[in-house]
Structures are given as C-alpha cells and as structure tokens.
Amino acid sequence: MAEIGKGVTAGKLAINVQKRLTRAQEKVLQKLGKADETRDAAFEEMVANFNKQMTEGTKLQKDLKAYLVAVKTMHDASRRLQDCLADMYEPEWFGKEEMDSLTEDTDTLWLDYHQNLTDKSLTTLDSYLAQFPDIKARIAKRDRKMVDFDSARHHFSSLQKGKKKDEAKIAKAEEELGRAQKIFEELNVELQDELPTLWDNRVGVYVNTFQSMARHQEKFHGEMSKLSQNLNDIMTKLEEQRELKKGGTAAAKTEDGAKSEEANHSESASSPPKSAVTNGSDGELPPGFLYKVKAIHDYAATDGDELELKTGDSVLVLAFDNPDEQDDGWLLGVQESHWVENKNISAKGVFPENFTQKV
C-alpha cells in the first residue's frame, strides 16, 4: 500500500476522514434534536473548573514573569547607580573601602533575590502548569470518543429498529458499540479521578508560590535596609568630614583673626592676661593662657588628644608648646570648670575653633 506521508497510509487516512465525517454528522443530528447526546453534568463542571484553573494559573505565571523582569530592571538600575557613586567617590573621602564593599554587597543581594524567586516560585509554577496541555488534550479526546460512542449507539439502535434486520450488520454494530463504549469509559474514568485532584492541588501551589515569595521578599528587604543604613552612615560621616575641612579653611582665610591670634600667642609667652578669666578662678590662670571661648555646638572627641565639648562649656585657650604643631582651625585648651576645681591642665586637649566663640 502506497504511503501518503510519514507514518500515514492511505487506509489510515481514509479511516480518519470517515471518523471526522461520522462525528460531524452525529453532531448535526444532535443539534437538530434528531439524536440524543450523552451528557454528564458533574464532568462538565469539572471541565469548567479545569479551564478556570488553567486560565488563572497561566495569568499568575505571566504576572510572576513580569514581576521578575521588573526585579531585573531594578537590579540593573541599582547597579548603575551604585557603580556611579563608587566611581565618583574619591580615595581620601571617608569610608572609601566601605563604599566599595557596599556596592558589591548590594549587587549580590539583588542577584540572590532574583535567582531565589526564579528557582523557588517560578519553577514550581512552571511545573504545575506543565501538566495542563496533556490533560486538555485528553479532555478533547474524551469528547471525540463520546461522539463516537453516541454515533455507534445510534447506529446499533437504528439497525435493531429496521424492518429488514441484518443480523451480521447488527452483530458488527454491537461490537463497534462495545469497543467505542470501552474507549470512552476508560478515558472518562481516568479524567474523573484526575480533575478533582488537580482542582484541589491549586491551593497548595498558590500557597507555596506566595509563601516562598514572601520569605524571600522579607529577607531581601531586611538585608537591603541594613545596607541602606550603612550608606546613610557613610554619607553622614562624609558630610561631617566636609564641615570640619570647611571650618578649617574658613579660619585660615580670616587674616585679621589669624594675626590677632599670633599676637596673643607672643604676648602670652611673657605675661598671660589674667584679667580675662574671673567667675570662680580667683584671678589664678593656667600657664600659657590666651583667652576664653564658649562652645556653641557639641563636639564629640574622635581621638585621645581631643577635648569633648558640650554647648555652653567655657574653655580656657592655651598656647601650644610648639606653634608648628597647631593645625589650622584648631585650638588647645582646658575646660574652665576643670581648672577651677583642680588647678592643673592635665585634661587639656585640642578642639575645632569653629565650634566655639570668644567671650
């Protein structure tokens, strides 16, 4: 027998054409009300649930993929922004190494977040939806076999009711009816077992998908919050560094103030102005005293040789033993309260001039 195509012979093609023609005729008769149709309301409800479940799952898969695309886009934007900051961050600025490390940690966090969502949520959903095409194909096959069963049933019935009964044809029709019924019922029973189970499984799939997302989101945002706080701390310290340098530069540019201070330094070497301090000092002043200042801002000491200041503190400014050791914008002094109580300058330290004003 000549082949029509790969795996398809002329005989098989003819049989398939005849089946489609017979099914089409049967459907026309059923629509016209000339032939009854096998109906199963419970199964039809299962199919309706199946279609609803497949539609919802497909939409969830589509939206989850869109969310992952958005995460990838945010990751790319975050990486470009962090790289930009790292490139601009000058080596002498506060926290350069911490900034580079923070950039790497942020990139890694985004990568892990995207990968975890893909592995734990999307992959699970993909596996869940992978079973729908096969079941959908078997539902369609079951519908076709139901039409074949109805057609065989009607053909057998018409031969039995005919005036001239051909026992051979009746026997053959009965055999075809039994075969059609068996094929249909096997498919029908399988699907009646599978569809309710699949319908119930959707809850577990949704729970696992969104619980996994929630866990990874919580972890991601928690870690990102820590990195954001670190970035904020670095920026705060950088601003403090800038303010200190700015204060030092401003002091250096105030020529009159600098000249006056130099004059005071020279004058203090021979005779400190004892009249500058009263208020409990009994006129007794520390050696090398220049003048008194009052703190207008709090200052937290960052080194052992620095003086801690609180707003309102009175400080007795002292001359440096070696003027070359004095940095621009910094003074040497001792708290007036300490001098009055202890009469020693053991607690002296340096402090930024722009945090104080002369009194």
Side-chain angles (χ1 to χ4, degrees):
M1 184 178 292
E3 289 190 349
I4 304 300
K6 186 177 180 180
V8 180
T9 64
K12 289 182 179 179
L13 182 61
I15 292 173
N16 289 335
V17 171
Q18 183 60 45
K19 281 184 178 180
R20 287 197 292 270
L21 180 60
T22 301
R23 289 168 185 159
Q25 291 174 342
E26 180 65 22
K27 295 298 290 184
V28 169
L29 292 174
Q30 289 175 352
K31 288 182 178 179
L32 295 175
K34 295 182 179 181
D36 61 311
E37 179 182 1
T38 299
R39 301 296 298 271
D40 186 339
F43 186 82
E44 290 173 1
E45 183 179 354
M46 293 178 194
V47 173
N49 288 338
F50 170 82
N51 291 330
K52 179 176 182 290
Q53 184 179 1
M54 182 170 61
T55 299
E56 291 176 346
T58 302
K59 185 178 185 303
L60 176 58
Q61 181 189 50
K62 178 182 177 181
D63 290 342
L64 182 55
K65 287 181 177 179
Y67 179 77
L68 286 170
V69 170
V71 170
K72 183 65 168 60
T73 301
M74 279 295 298
H75 175 200
D76 292 340
S78 172
R79 181 168 51 207
R80 288 193 296 270
L81 188 62
Q82 293 287 338
D83 287 345
C84 178
L85 178 58
D87 290 342
M88 294 187 302
Y89 215 86
E90 298 180 10
E92 67 273 12
W93 288 358
F94 176 86
K96 171 60 177 173
E97 292 183 2
E98 289 85 347
M99 177 60 66
D100 292 341
S101 177
L102 187 146
T103 298
E104 294 179 4
D105 291 345
T106 301
D107 185 60
T108 300
L109 186 59
W110 275 108
L111 280 172
D112 291 345
Y113 181 47
H114 185 275
Q115 192 61 49
N116 285 330
L117 288 179
T118 300
D119 293 342
K120 300 301 190 311
S121 295
L122 184 60
T123 302
T124 300
L125 191 57
D126 287 344
S127 299
Y128 164 69
L129 289 174
Q131 58 192 321
F132 282 81
D134 174 67
I135 296 177
K136 183 178 180 181
R138 286 194 286 131
I139 290 174
K141 183 177 181 180
R142 180 253 185 203
D143 291 342
R144 294 194 299 272
K145 295 306 178 182
M146 184 175 68
V147 175
D148 292 344
F149 168 61
D150 285 341
S151 178
R153 182 166 54 85
H154 295 147
H155 179 59
F156 175 69
S157 178
S158 64
L159 289 177
Q160 283 185 319
K161 294 177 181 178
K163 294 180 180 181
K164 295 181 180 181
K165 295 184 179 182
D166 188 330
E167 296 300 329
K169 287 184 177 181
I170 292 175
K172 183 178 179 181
E174 185 175 12
E175 181 182 348
E176 292 177 351
L177 173 59
R179 184 165 53 251
Q181 183 177 6
K182 180 181 178 182
I183 294 173
F184 166 68
E185 288 181 349
E186 285 178 352
L187 282 169
N188 193 49
V189 170
E190 287 178 1
L191 290 170
Q192 284 183 340
D193 289 339
E194 291 181 35
L195 290 177
T197 301
L198 181 64
W199 176 249
D200 290 339
N201 286 345
R202 77 193 190 286
V203 177
V205 171
Y206 299 159
V207 168
N208 291 336
T209 298
F210 284 96
Q211 272 190 341
S212 178
M213 283 189 63
R215 284 196 299 270
H216 292 303
Q217 284 177 338
E218 181 181 14
K219 179 181 178 182
F220 170 77
H221 290 297
E223 294 297 326
M224 186 59 75
S225 177
K226 294 178 183 178
L227 292 178
S228 297
Q229 184 59 53
N230 291 342
L231 177 60
N232 182 65
D233 292 344
I234 292 173
M235 294 296 99
T236 299
K237 293 292 186 181
L238 179 60
E239 175 63 15
E240 291 177 356
Q241 183 186 60
R242 186 184 73 89
E243 289 293 335
L244 287 175
K245 288 184 177 180
K246 181 180 178 182
T249 302
K253 290 183 178 181
T254 308
E255 296 180 2
D256 293 340
K259 290 180 180 179
S260 175
E261 186 175 332
E262 289 176 5
N264 289 334
H265 274 295
S266 300
E267 188 176 331
S268 66
S270 56
S271 57
K274 297 183 180 181
S275 60
V277 178
T278 55
N279 296 339
S281 65
D282 298 328
E284 193 176 341
L285 300 172
F289 166 71
L290 301 177
Y291 53 90
K292 184 167 72 171
V293 297
K294 189 172 186 178
I296 57 175
H297 300 291
D298 290 351
Y299 176 72
T302 59
D303 206 343
D305 65 343
E306 294 183 3
L307 193 65
E308 189 93 10
L309 297 180
K310 295 294 183 182
T311 302
D313 285 352
S314 292
V315 182
L316 304 180
V317 179
L318 306 174
F320 280 82
D321 295 334
N322 183 358
D324 293 336
E325 295 178 354
Q326 182 175 5
D327 294 326
D328 289 340
W330 289 81
L331 300 176
L332 176 67
V334 63
Q335 293 278 5
E336 183 180 19
S337 59
H338 176 82
W339 169 255
V340 170
E341 182 177 350
N342 300 289
K343 292 298 188 292
N344 66 61
I345 57 174
S346 61
K348 68 180 178 179
V350 295
F351 59 92
E353 183 179 11
N354 62 332
F355 277 63
T356 64
Q357 66 180 11
K358 289 184 179 182
V359 294

PDB file of all heavy atoms in Angstrom, residues 53-54 69-70 118 125 179 200 272 276 281 347:
ATOM      1  N   GLN A  53      -9.085  26.990  36.218  1.00  0.00           N
ATOM      2  CA  GLN A  53      -7.806  26.778  36.887  1.00  0.00           C
ATOM      3  C   GLN A  53      -6.634  27.036  35.936  1.00  0.00           C
ATOM      4  O   GLN A  53      -5.646  27.669  36.318  1.00  0.00           O
ATOM      5  CB  GLN A  53      -7.760  25.337  37.401  1.00  0.00           C
ATOM      6  CG  GLN A  53      -6.523  24.979  38.207  1.00  0.00           C
ATOM      7  CD  GLN A  53      -6.592  23.544  38.700  1.00  0.00           C
ATOM      8  OE1 GLN A  53      -7.542  22.810  38.424  1.00  0.00           O
ATOM      9  NE2 GLN A  53      -5.581  23.126  39.439  1.00  0.00           N
ATOM     10  N   MET A  54      -6.751  26.570  34.713  1.00  0.00           N
ATOM     11  CA  MET A  54      -5.686  26.766  33.734  1.00  0.00           C
ATOM     12  C   MET A  54      -5.540  28.247  33.387  1.00  0.00           C
ATOM     13  O   MET A  54      -4.420  28.757  33.266  1.00  0.00           O
ATOM     14  CB  MET A  54      -5.981  25.952  32.467  1.00  0.00           C
ATOM     15  CG  MET A  54      -4.897  26.042  31.406  1.00  0.00           C
ATOM     16  SD  MET A  54      -5.118  24.871  30.052  1.00  0.00           S
ATOM     17  CE  MET A  54      -6.707  25.406  29.412  1.00  0.00           C
ATOM     18  N   VAL A  69      10.915  40.340  35.651  1.00  0.00           N
ATOM     19  CA  VAL A  69      11.513  41.300  34.722  1.00  0.00           C
ATOM     20  C   VAL A  69      11.708  42.647  35.410  1.00  0.00           C
ATOM     21  O   VAL A  69      12.740  43.313  35.250  1.00  0.00           O
ATOM     22  CB  VAL A  69      10.636  41.460  33.459  1.00  0.00           C
ATOM     23  CG1 VAL A  69      11.120  42.626  32.605  1.00  0.00           C
ATOM     24  CG2 VAL A  69      10.649  40.177  32.632  1.00  0.00           C
ATOM     25  N   ALA A  70      10.700  43.046  36.212  1.00  0.00           N
ATOM     26  CA  ALA A  70      10.797  44.315  36.948  1.00  0.00           C
ATOM     27  C   ALA A  70      11.927  44.259  37.978  1.00  0.00           C
ATOM     28  O   ALA A  70      12.660  45.236  38.164  1.00  0.00           O
ATOM     29  CB  ALA A  70       9.474  44.628  37.638  1.00  0.00           C
ATOM     30  N   THR A 118      13.138  32.974  41.055  1.00  0.00           N
ATOM     31  CA  THR A 118      13.056  32.130  39.866  1.00  0.00           C
ATOM     32  C   THR A 118      13.029  30.657  40.246  1.00  0.00           C
ATOM     33  O   THR A 118      12.195  29.886  39.749  1.00  0.00           O
ATOM     34  CB  THR A 118      14.247  32.408  38.933  1.00  0.00           C
ATOM     35  OG1 THR A 118      14.232  33.784  38.538  1.00  0.00           O
ATOM     36  CG2 THR A 118      14.170  31.547  37.687  1.00  0.00           C
ATOM     37  N   LEU A 125       5.780  26.948  39.705  1.00  0.00           N
ATOM     38  CA  LEU A 125       4.582  27.279  38.934  1.00  0.00           C
ATOM     39  C   LEU A 125       4.667  26.703  37.522  1.00  0.00           C
ATOM     40  O   LEU A 125       3.668  26.215  36.977  1.00  0.00           O
ATOM     41  CB  LEU A 125       4.415  28.789  38.879  1.00  0.00           C
ATOM     42  CG  LEU A 125       3.081  29.319  38.337  1.00  0.00           C
ATOM     43  CD1 LEU A 125       1.905  28.782  39.144  1.00  0.00           C
ATOM     44  CD2 LEU A 125       3.071  30.843  38.359  1.00  0.00           C
ATOM     45  N   ARG A 179     -16.814  -1.538  21.655  1.00  0.00           N
ATOM     46  CA  ARG A 179     -15.458  -1.012  21.600  1.00  0.00           C
ATOM     47  C   ARG A 179     -15.437   0.500  21.857  1.00  0.00           C
ATOM     48  O   ARG A 179     -14.604   1.009  22.605  1.00  0.00           O
ATOM     49  CB  ARG A 179     -14.852  -1.327  20.236  1.00  0.00           C
ATOM     50  CG  ARG A 179     -13.392  -0.889  20.111  1.00  0.00           C
ATOM     51  CD  ARG A 179     -12.691  -1.517  18.903  1.00  0.00           C
ATOM     52  NE  ARG A 179     -13.436  -1.290  17.672  1.00  0.00           N
ATOM     53  CZ  ARG A 179     -14.097  -2.255  17.005  1.00  0.00           C
ATOM     54  NH1 ARG A 179     -14.132  -3.503  17.499  1.00  0.00           N
ATOM     55  NH2 ARG A 179     -14.730  -1.992  15.877  1.00  0.00           N
ATOM     56  N   ASP A 200      -8.084  20.514  43.480  1.00  0.00           N
ATOM     57  CA  ASP A 200      -7.711  20.710  44.881  1.00  0.00           C
ATOM     58  C   ASP A 200      -6.252  21.139  45.036  1.00  0.00           C
ATOM     59  O   ASP A 200      -5.908  21.896  45.954  1.00  0.00           O
ATOM     60  CB  ASP A 200      -7.945  19.422  45.679  1.00  0.00           C
ATOM     61  CG  ASP A 200      -9.424  19.107  45.864  1.00  0.00           C
ATOM     62  OD1 ASP A 200     -10.234  20.042  45.742  1.00  0.00           O
ATOM     63  OD2 ASP A 200      -9.758  17.938  46.103  1.00  0.00           O
ATOM     64  N   PRO A 272      50.510  86.360  80.549  1.00  0.00           N
ATOM     65  CA  PRO A 272      49.129  85.995  80.206  1.00  0.00           C
ATOM     66  C   PRO A 272      48.154  86.997  80.784  1.00  0.00           C
ATOM     67  O   PRO A 272      48.358  87.491  81.903  1.00  0.00           O
ATOM     68  CB  PRO A 272      48.944  84.618  80.871  1.00  0.00           C
ATOM     69  CG  PRO A 272      50.333  84.100  81.084  1.00  0.00           C
ATOM     70  CD  PRO A 272      51.179  85.309  81.322  1.00  0.00           C
ATOM     71  N   ALA A 276      41.357  88.133  82.098  1.00  0.00           N
ATOM     72  CA  ALA A 276      40.358  87.616  81.152  1.00  0.00           C
ATOM     73  C   ALA A 276      39.465  86.581  81.795  1.00  0.00           C
ATOM     74  O   ALA A 276      38.399  86.285  81.294  1.00  0.00           O
ATOM     75  CB  ALA A 276      41.052  87.012  79.937  1.00  0.00           C
ATOM     76  N   SER A 281      37.680  81.689  89.360  1.00  0.00           N
ATOM     77  CA  SER A 281      39.078  81.324  89.162  1.00  0.00           C
ATOM     78  C   SER A 281      39.994  82.034  90.150  1.00  0.00           C
ATOM     79  O   SER A 281      41.181  81.758  90.216  1.00  0.00           O
ATOM     80  CB  SER A 281      39.519  81.668  87.734  1.00  0.00           C
ATOM     81  OG  SER A 281      39.481  83.063  87.543  1.00  0.00           O
ATOM     82  N   ALA A 347      44.042  67.773  81.754  1.00  0.00           N
ATOM     83  CA  ALA A 347      42.930  67.357  80.893  1.00  0.00           C
ATOM     84  C   ALA A 347      42.812  68.230  79.643  1.00  0.00           C
ATOM     85  O   ALA A 347      41.750  68.310  79.031  1.00  0.00           O
ATOM     86  CB  ALA A 347      41.618  67.398  81.681  1.00  0.00           C
TER      87      ALA A 347
END
